[in-house]
Amino acid sequence: MKSFVRRDYEYYLTDLNDVHLTAAQIGGIEPLETREDTTHVIGKILKINSCDSYKVSRLHHSTPYLIPSAKDLLNKIGLEFRDSLLAGGYQMHRIIVTSVLRTNEDVKRLMRVNYNASSNSAHRYATTFDISYNRFDMTDSFGKFIHDWQMENILGKILARLRFEGFCYVKLEKKQRCFHVTCRHYDSLRQFI
């Protein structure tokens, strides 16, 4: 059996909440009170929908909106993940987005069920999203079988590189089993996709 070092990228994905929060406050929107308030900032935020490169999970404590550069970053991550699977000849999977923009109401509801939730979350600024590292959405069974831990490693390395290149901050959330990603490149990333 091939030897594998799990999470060899983990050391690089340790950005703490204050770093995420500062970046979110600089580049994001003003926090919204309710989900209905999203209608007042359409244009500043864009809706994200499941697509070829990522799936938006059923959201219980957030709503699927990001600022344009954060949406571009999410697209870039999803495309690079898909391209990595293609290059390896693996079965095709999409990353799964598990949390996006949280209104003040969402944060209050989340804090009732998750003691780790922060009242001053970077998710409130539409710059931040969570990507599951232990669940992936299979879109095509053609190709070599790939384990979830292998896809986690591929995704982690992509995020570590993008973090190193200055596109984002990333925290590996072990209890929530996700990568917590905050965009920090506020000009459009379209030129990089």
Side-chain angles (χ1 to χ4, degrees):
M1 185 172 178
K2 185 177 177 182
S3 176
F4 177 74
V5 178
R6 274 191 84 170
R7 295 185 176 160
D8 52 353
Y9 54 82
E10 186 173 359
Y11 174 79
Y12 302 102
L13 305 182
T14 58
D15 295 313
L16 299 178
N17 186 55
D18 59 337
V19 174
H20 286 266
L21 187 58
T22 299
Q25 290 169 333
I26 291 170
I29 63 170
E30 289 295 317
L32 305 174
E33 192 59 38
T34 68
R35 291 186 182 188
E36 290 77 31
D37 293 338
T38 58
T39 60
H40 304 298
V41 290
I42 295 297
K44 290 182 181 179
I45 59 173
L46 303 173
K47 187 168 186 174
I48 63 166
N49 296 301
S50 296
C51 61
D52 289 343
S53 56
Y54 60 84
K55 176 182 178 179
V56 179
S57 184
R58 186 167 177 215
L59 303 173
H60 299 285
H61 299 288
S62 66
T63 186
Y65 288 93
L66 291 169
I67 62 171
S69 56
K71 183 177 180 179
D72 290 345
L73 176 63
L74 176 58
N75 285 330
K76 181 173 179 58
I77 294 165
L79 289 171
E80 288 194 19
F81 180 76
R82 185 185 68 187
D83 289 349
S84 294
L85 295 181
L86 276 172
Y90 293 114
Q91 296 169 335
M92 292 308 302
H93 289 74
R94 298 183 293 184
I95 58 175
I96 299 177
V97 179
T98 58
S99 187
V100 200
L101 170 64
R102 293 182 189 149
T103 65
N104 291 338
E105 278 184 353
D106 290 324
V107 170
K108 288 175 190 171
R109 279 195 306 271
L110 180 61
M111 289 178 70
R112 288 185 204 135
V113 296
N114 181 350
Y115 66 90
N116 288 325
S118 170
S119 61
N120 204 10
S121 169
H123 283 279
R124 296 171 59 230
Y125 300 89
T127 58
T128 304
F129 49 90
D130 293 343
I131 302 171
S132 173
Y133 66 69
N134 70 330
R135 293 185 303 126
F136 298 88
D137 182 50
M138 182 187 286
T139 59
D140 190 344
S141 60
F142 181 76
K144 297 185 293 188
F145 175 80
I146 184 167
H147 292 277
D148 287 349
W149 61 263
Q150 291 172 295
M151 289 187 282
E152 175 190 341
N153 194 44
I154 290 168
L155 180 58
K157 287 179 180 179
I158 290 168
L159 291 171
R161 182 182 50 74
L162 291 172
R163 181 196 175 279
F164 177 76
E165 292 173 355
F167 289 106
C168 55
Y169 291 114
V170 184
K171 171 77 170 143
L172 174 68
E173 298 280 358
K174 293 180 183 176
K175 289 186 179 183
Q176 302 304 317
R177 297 183 179 181
C178 70
F179 293 109
H180 178 73
V181 182
T182 298
C183 179
R184 58 183 284 225
H185 191 292
Y186 305 114
D187 296 328
S188 177
L189 296 174
R190 295 182 203 286
Q191 61 184 318
F192 302 104
I193 296 175

Short mmCIF file of all heavy atoms in Angstrom, two decimals, residues 86-119:
data_model
loop_
_atom_site.label_atom_id
_atom_site.label_comp_id
_atom_site.label_asym_id
_atom_site.label_seq_id
_atom_site.Cartn_x
_atom_site.Cartn_y
_atom_site.Cartn_z
N LEU A 86 -9.13 15.68 -13.18
CA LEU A 86 -9.00 15.32 -14.60
C LEU A 86 -7.57 14.90 -14.93
O LEU A 86 -7.35 13.90 -15.61
CB LEU A 86 -9.40 16.50 -15.49
CG LEU A 86 -10.87 16.68 -15.77
CD1 LEU A 86 -11.12 18.01 -16.49
CD2 LEU A 86 -11.41 15.53 -16.60
N ALA A 87 -6.61 15.68 -14.44
CA ALA A 87 -5.20 15.40 -14.73
C ALA A 87 -4.78 14.04 -14.17
O ALA A 87 -3.94 13.36 -14.76
CB ALA A 87 -4.31 16.51 -14.16
N GLY A 88 -5.37 13.65 -13.04
CA GLY A 88 -5.03 12.36 -12.43
C GLY A 88 -5.84 11.20 -12.99
O GLY A 88 -5.62 10.06 -12.61
N GLY A 89 -6.80 11.49 -13.87
CA GLY A 89 -7.65 10.45 -14.44
C GLY A 89 -8.67 9.89 -13.46
O GLY A 89 -9.14 8.77 -13.61
N TYR A 90 -9.02 10.69 -12.43
CA TYR A 90 -9.93 10.24 -11.38
C TYR A 90 -11.40 10.48 -11.75
O TYR A 90 -11.71 11.28 -12.63
CB TYR A 90 -9.64 10.97 -10.07
CG TYR A 90 -8.31 10.62 -9.48
CD1 TYR A 90 -7.30 11.57 -9.38
CD2 TYR A 90 -8.06 9.34 -9.01
CE1 TYR A 90 -6.07 11.25 -8.82
CE2 TYR A 90 -6.83 9.01 -8.46
CZ TYR A 90 -5.85 9.97 -8.37
OH TYR A 90 -4.63 9.65 -7.83
N GLN A 91 -12.28 9.81 -11.01
CA GLN A 91 -13.71 10.08 -11.12
C GLN A 91 -13.94 11.55 -10.78
O GLN A 91 -13.30 12.10 -9.89
CB GLN A 91 -14.49 9.20 -10.14
CG GLN A 91 -14.39 7.73 -10.43
CD GLN A 91 -14.96 6.88 -9.29
OE1 GLN A 91 -15.01 7.31 -8.14
NE2 GLN A 91 -15.39 5.68 -9.63
N MET A 92 -14.90 12.16 -11.48
CA MET A 92 -15.14 13.58 -11.27
C MET A 92 -16.03 13.83 -10.05
O MET A 92 -17.04 13.16 -9.85
CB MET A 92 -15.79 14.19 -12.51
CG MET A 92 -14.84 14.24 -13.71
SD MET A 92 -13.23 15.01 -13.35
CE MET A 92 -13.71 16.61 -12.80
N HIS A 93 -15.61 14.80 -9.26
CA HIS A 93 -16.34 15.24 -8.08
C HIS A 93 -16.33 16.78 -8.05
O HIS A 93 -15.45 17.41 -8.63
CB HIS A 93 -15.66 14.75 -6.80
CG HIS A 93 -15.78 13.29 -6.57
ND1 HIS A 93 -15.06 12.36 -7.29
CD2 HIS A 93 -16.53 12.59 -5.69
CE1 HIS A 93 -15.36 11.14 -6.86
NE2 HIS A 93 -16.26 11.26 -5.89
N ARG A 94 -17.30 17.31 -7.34
CA ARG A 94 -17.33 18.75 -7.07
C ARG A 94 -17.08 18.97 -5.58
O ARG A 94 -17.43 18.12 -4.75
CB ARG A 94 -18.70 19.35 -7.39
CG ARG A 94 -19.13 19.25 -8.80
CD ARG A 94 -20.47 19.94 -9.04
NE ARG A 94 -21.57 19.25 -8.36
CZ ARG A 94 -22.85 19.61 -8.46
NH1 ARG A 94 -23.20 20.66 -9.19
NH2 ARG A 94 -23.79 18.94 -7.83
N ILE A 95 -16.48 20.11 -5.26
CA ILE A 95 -16.39 20.51 -3.86
C ILE A 95 -17.79 20.91 -3.40
O ILE A 95 -18.65 21.24 -4.22
CB ILE A 95 -15.37 21.65 -3.65
CG1 ILE A 95 -15.74 22.89 -4.48
CG2 ILE A 95 -13.95 21.18 -3.94
CD1 ILE A 95 -14.86 24.10 -4.24
N ILE A 96 -18.00 20.88 -2.08
CA ILE A 96 -19.31 21.23 -1.52
C ILE A 96 -19.16 22.44 -0.59
O ILE A 96 -18.39 22.40 0.37
CB ILE A 96 -19.92 20.04 -0.76
CG1 ILE A 96 -20.14 18.86 -1.71
CG2 ILE A 96 -21.24 20.45 -0.10
CD1 ILE A 96 -20.67 17.60 -1.04
N VAL A 97 -19.89 23.49 -0.91
CA VAL A 97 -19.91 24.71 -0.10
C VAL A 97 -20.96 24.52 0.99
O VAL A 97 -22.12 24.22 0.70
CB VAL A 97 -20.25 25.94 -0.96
CG1 VAL A 97 -20.30 27.20 -0.11
CG2 VAL A 97 -19.26 26.08 -2.11
N THR A 98 -20.56 24.68 2.26
CA THR A 98 -21.47 24.39 3.37
C THR A 98 -21.94 25.63 4.12
O THR A 98 -22.88 25.54 4.90
CB THR A 98 -20.80 23.43 4.36
OG1 THR A 98 -19.58 24.03 4.84
CG2 THR A 98 -20.50 22.09 3.70
N SER A 99 -21.30 26.78 3.92
CA SER A 99 -21.74 28.01 4.58
C SER A 99 -21.23 29.20 3.79
O SER A 99 -20.11 29.17 3.26
CB SER A 99 -21.21 28.06 6.02
OG SER A 99 -21.76 29.16 6.70
N VAL A 100 -22.06 30.25 3.74
CA VAL A 100 -21.71 31.43 2.96
C VAL A 100 -22.04 32.67 3.81
O VAL A 100 -21.64 32.75 4.96
CB VAL A 100 -22.42 31.43 1.58
CG1 VAL A 100 -21.72 32.37 0.60
CG2 VAL A 100 -22.46 30.04 0.96
N LEU A 101 -22.81 33.60 3.28
CA LEU A 101 -23.16 34.85 3.97
C LEU A 101 -24.11 34.58 5.13
O LEU A 101 -25.14 33.93 4.96
CB LEU A 101 -23.81 35.83 2.98
CG LEU A 101 -24.44 37.09 3.58
CD1 LEU A 101 -23.40 37.98 4.23
CD2 LEU A 101 -25.21 37.84 2.50
N ARG A 102 -23.76 35.13 6.30
CA ARG A 102 -24.64 35.01 7.47
C ARG A 102 -25.13 36.40 7.86
O ARG A 102 -24.33 37.32 8.05
CB ARG A 102 -23.91 34.39 8.66
CG ARG A 102 -23.54 32.96 8.44
CD ARG A 102 -22.86 32.37 9.66
NE ARG A 102 -22.33 31.06 9.34
CZ ARG A 102 -21.24 30.53 9.90
NH1 ARG A 102 -20.58 31.21 10.83
NH2 ARG A 102 -20.83 29.33 9.55
N THR A 103 -26.44 36.54 7.99
CA THR A 103 -27.00 37.78 8.51
C THR A 103 -26.91 37.74 10.03
O THR A 103 -26.58 36.70 10.63
CB THR A 103 -28.48 37.91 8.10
OG1 THR A 103 -29.23 36.87 8.72
CG2 THR A 103 -28.64 37.86 6.58
N ASN A 104 -27.20 38.87 10.67
CA ASN A 104 -27.19 38.90 12.14
C ASN A 104 -28.19 37.89 12.71
O ASN A 104 -27.90 37.24 13.71
CB ASN A 104 -27.49 40.30 12.64
CG ASN A 104 -26.34 41.26 12.34
OD1 ASN A 104 -25.20 40.85 12.14
ND2 ASN A 104 -26.65 42.55 12.29
N GLU A 105 -29.34 37.75 12.04
CA GLU A 105 -30.33 36.75 12.48
C GLU A 105 -29.76 35.33 12.36
O GLU A 105 -29.96 34.51 13.25
CB GLU A 105 -31.60 36.84 11.64
CG GLU A 105 -32.55 37.92 12.07
CD GLU A 105 -33.85 37.91 11.26
OE1 GLU A 105 -33.96 37.14 10.28
OE2 GLU A 105 -34.73 38.70 11.61
N ASP A 106 -29.06 35.05 11.25
CA ASP A 106 -28.45 33.73 11.06
C ASP A 106 -27.44 33.43 12.16
O ASP A 106 -27.39 32.32 12.69
CB ASP A 106 -27.74 33.64 9.70
CG ASP A 106 -28.69 33.62 8.52
OD1 ASP A 106 -29.77 33.02 8.63
OD2 ASP A 106 -28.32 34.19 7.48
N VAL A 107 -26.64 34.42 12.50
CA VAL A 107 -25.61 34.24 13.53
C VAL A 107 -26.27 33.92 14.87
O VAL A 107 -25.84 33.01 15.58
CB VAL A 107 -24.71 35.49 13.63
CG1 VAL A 107 -23.81 35.41 14.85
CG2 VAL A 107 -23.87 35.66 12.37
N LYS A 108 -27.33 34.63 15.20
CA LYS A 108 -28.03 34.37 16.47
C LYS A 108 -28.58 32.95 16.51
O LYS A 108 -28.47 32.25 17.53
CB LYS A 108 -29.15 35.38 16.67
CG LYS A 108 -28.65 36.77 17.01
CD LYS A 108 -29.80 37.76 17.07
CE LYS A 108 -29.26 39.17 17.17
NZ LYS A 108 -30.32 40.17 17.01
N ARG A 109 -29.19 32.51 15.39
CA ARG A 109 -29.74 31.15 15.35
C ARG A 109 -28.62 30.12 15.45
O ARG A 109 -28.75 29.11 16.14
CB ARG A 109 -30.54 30.94 14.05
CG ARG A 109 -31.95 31.49 14.12
CD ARG A 109 -32.81 30.96 12.99
NE ARG A 109 -32.27 31.16 11.66
CZ ARG A 109 -32.47 32.25 10.92
NH1 ARG A 109 -33.21 33.24 11.37
NH2 ARG A 109 -31.93 32.35 9.72
N LEU A 110 -27.52 30.36 14.76
CA LEU A 110 -26.40 29.42 14.77
C LEU A 110 -25.79 29.30 16.17
O LEU A 110 -25.42 28.21 16.61
CB LEU A 110 -25.33 29.85 13.75
CG LEU A 110 -24.10 28.96 13.65
CD1 LEU A 110 -24.50 27.54 13.22
CD2 LEU A 110 -23.11 29.55 12.65
N MET A 111 -25.70 30.42 16.87
CA MET A 111 -25.10 30.40 18.20
C MET A 111 -25.92 29.57 19.19
O MET A 111 -25.38 29.09 20.19
CB MET A 111 -24.89 31.83 18.71
CG MET A 111 -23.78 32.54 17.95
SD MET A 111 -23.54 34.25 18.48
CE MET A 111 -22.84 33.99 20.10
N ARG A 112 -27.19 29.36 18.90
CA ARG A 112 -28.03 28.54 19.77
C ARG A 112 -27.69 27.05 19.65
O ARG A 112 -27.91 26.29 20.57
CB ARG A 112 -29.50 28.73 19.43
CG ARG A 112 -30.05 30.06 19.84
CD ARG A 112 -31.55 30.15 19.57
NE ARG A 112 -31.90 31.54 19.43
CZ ARG A 112 -32.69 32.03 18.50
NH1 ARG A 112 -33.24 31.25 17.60
NH2 ARG A 112 -32.95 33.32 18.46
N VAL A 113 -27.15 26.64 18.49
CA VAL A 113 -26.88 25.22 18.25
C VAL A 113 -25.39 24.89 18.14
O VAL A 113 -25.01 23.74 18.19
CB VAL A 113 -27.62 24.71 16.99
CG1 VAL A 113 -29.11 24.79 17.18
CG2 VAL A 113 -27.18 25.46 15.74
N ASN A 114 -24.55 25.90 17.96
CA ASN A 114 -23.11 25.67 17.79
C ASN A 114 -22.35 26.60 18.74
O ASN A 114 -22.24 27.80 18.49
CB ASN A 114 -22.70 25.93 16.33
CG ASN A 114 -21.23 25.69 16.08
OD1 ASN A 114 -20.44 25.51 17.00
ND2 ASN A 114 -20.85 25.70 14.81
N TYR A 115 -21.81 26.03 19.82
CA TYR A 115 -21.12 26.84 20.82
C TYR A 115 -19.82 27.46 20.28
O TYR A 115 -19.29 28.39 20.87
CB TYR A 115 -20.86 26.03 22.09
CG TYR A 115 -19.88 24.90 21.91
CD1 TYR A 115 -18.52 25.08 22.11
CD2 TYR A 115 -20.33 23.62 21.54
CE1 TYR A 115 -17.62 24.04 21.94
CE2 TYR A 115 -19.43 22.58 21.37
CZ TYR A 115 -18.10 22.80 21.57
OH TYR A 115 -17.21 21.77 21.39
N ASN A 116 -19.30 26.96 19.15
CA ASN A 116 -18.10 27.53 18.55
C ASN A 116 -18.40 28.75 17.68
O ASN A 116 -17.49 29.46 17.26
CB ASN A 116 -17.37 26.49 17.70
CG ASN A 116 -16.70 25.44 18.55
OD1 ASN A 116 -16.20 25.73 19.62
ND2 ASN A 116 -16.69 24.22 18.05
N ALA A 117 -19.66 28.98 17.36
CA ALA A 117 -20.03 30.08 16.47
C ALA A 117 -19.68 31.42 17.12
O ALA A 117 -19.83 31.61 18.32
CB ALA A 117 -21.52 30.02 16.15
N SER A 118 -19.21 32.34 16.29
CA SER A 118 -18.81 33.66 16.77
C SER A 118 -19.85 34.69 16.37
O SER A 118 -20.36 34.69 15.25
CB SER A 118 -17.46 34.04 16.15
OG SER A 118 -17.16 35.39 16.41
N SER A 119 -20.15 35.60 17.28
CA SER A 119 -21.10 36.67 16.97
C SER A 119 -20.48 37.66 15.99
O SER A 119 -21.20 38.40 15.32
CB SER A 119 -21.53 37.39 18.25
OG SER A 119 -20.41 37.97 18.88
#
